[in-house]
Amino acid sequence: MTTPTSGALTLERGLGLLRLVAHGTVRLDDLAAASGLSRSATHRMLTSLVTTRFLKLSTDGRYQLGVALLELGSLAEREMDLPSRVQQLLAGIAAELGDATHLGILDGTDILYLAKARGRRGIDMASRPGARFRAQHTAMGKALLAHAEPAVAAAYFDPAEVRTERSVRDLDAFTAVLERAVAVGFALDDQENELGITCVAVAIADVTGEYRAAVSVSAPSVHMTPARITEVAAVLTAAAPEIGAHLTPDFAEHWL
């Protein structure tokens, strides 16, 4: 059995005091008795917890939970509910545009689809949460690779990987596609991943400013006229900051 270090033991005792206060033991002497610690040791730990705002001390000598716990609780709630919050935002885009909306990340050489909100057209598509497609063929993949160093992006391209007759087949053409995505602010997959389906995507910066995800809208190609593509790109660009505000660096773990 592993013996806790002095630091770990101190942490455990401090957390124990927080739990006691949370359950109604609020006086110094009562906390010392309930925790099994000496009065002086209890007082030192409580003082530290007050200093760090995990507890507060009222004028009549009662300890209460502090604002730092409220802040942590708010962050924890936000992270634990992350998929449903992002799903709501995707659903809002799908409702506004009427077409399927996705969230995805780069995983190896693939785009991994994390979430999807269905559109109103009733079209069956290959995209679904958990699906993977080669990044070079997808709008989300190109949107994210457009933010990478050129040499890094080039390493994701394999000319032998051809998914449809419209797939990009050489590195120079792929590089040009990424350069255009940077210039216009969005990426396009025009039947490269799935015949008959055109997809528009923008990259999303997470709370640290890193581009770790992308959001896309897919629709039958007959509906994706140049004007429609511009409209979709504008809606996605406007929504990206709000989605990104919910994406912590480890956000993908909430889906995986």
Side-chain angles (χ1 to χ4, degrees):
M1 183 175 182
T2 303
T3 302
T5 63
S6 60
L9 192 57
T10 299
L11 176 61
E12 290 175 5
R13 289 169 174 169
L15 293 173
L17 290 174
L18 285 175
R19 291 190 182 95
L20 287 171
V21 172
H23 288 90
T25 305
V26 296
R27 300 283 183 180
L28 173 58
D29 290 338
D30 295 333
L31 286 164
S35 64
L37 301 173
S38 67
R39 192 178 191 277
S40 59
T42 302
H43 185 262
R44 285 196 302 271
M45 288 186 185
L46 291 172
T47 299
S48 179
L49 290 168
V50 169
T51 300
T52 53
R53 302 189 307 154
F54 285 98
L55 289 177
K56 63 180 180 179
L57 180 61
S58 66
T59 55
D60 63 353
R62 292 182 301 110
Y63 289 92
Q64 299 170 313
L65 298 181
V67 67
L69 287 173
L70 179 63
E71 293 168 351
L72 288 178
S74 177
L75 289 171
E77 180 183 9
R78 171 175 153 180
E79 290 192 15
M80 287 187 291
D81 199 29
L82 186 58
S84 64
R85 289 179 184 271
V86 172
Q87 188 68 46
Q88 289 172 3
L89 295 173
L90 296 183
I93 297 171
E96 178 179 355
L97 295 174
D99 292 307
T101 307
H102 313 89
L103 182 80
I105 59 171
L106 276 174
D107 188 44
T109 58
D110 296 333
I111 279 291
L112 172 62
Y113 286 69
L114 297 181
K116 176 178 181 177
R118 295 187 178 276
R120 296 191 297 269
R121 299 187 195 276
I123 303 297
D124 188 28
M125 300 179 187
S127 61
R128 66 185 187 283
R132 291 174 175 271
F133 297 106
R134 185 89 184 187
Q136 70 191 60
H137 301 313
T138 68
M140 287 196 289
K142 287 183 275 190
L144 287 169
L145 292 175
H147 289 277
E149 292 295 325
V152 173
Y156 281 80
F157 182 79
D158 183 350
E161 290 287 339
V162 178
R163 185 164 172 85
T164 77
E165 61 192 41
R166 297 178 67 95
S167 298
V168 176
R169 310 219 177 181
D170 67 81
L171 181 56
D172 287 342
F174 184 67
T175 300
V177 166
L178 298 187
E179 291 173 349
R180 174 168 172 72
V182 172
V184 300
F186 65 89
L188 189 67
D189 149 27
D190 188 11
Q191 305 185 65
E192 296 166 54
N193 190 61
E194 186 175 0
L195 286 175
I197 300 296
T198 297
C199 184
V200 181
V202 300
I204 299 177
D206 68 10
V207 294
T208 70
E210 294 292 324
Y211 287 97
R212 300 180 190 271
V215 61
S216 72
V217 166
S218 299
S221 300
V222 294
H223 297 296
M224 283 293 198
T225 63
R228 175 67 168 161
I229 289 170
T230 300
E231 177 191 3
V232 170
V235 170
L236 293 179
T237 300
E242 186 175 4
I243 297 173
H246 294 287
L247 302 184
T248 54
D250 62 346
F251 71 90
E253 296 178 8
H254 296 279
W255 277 274
L256 304 179

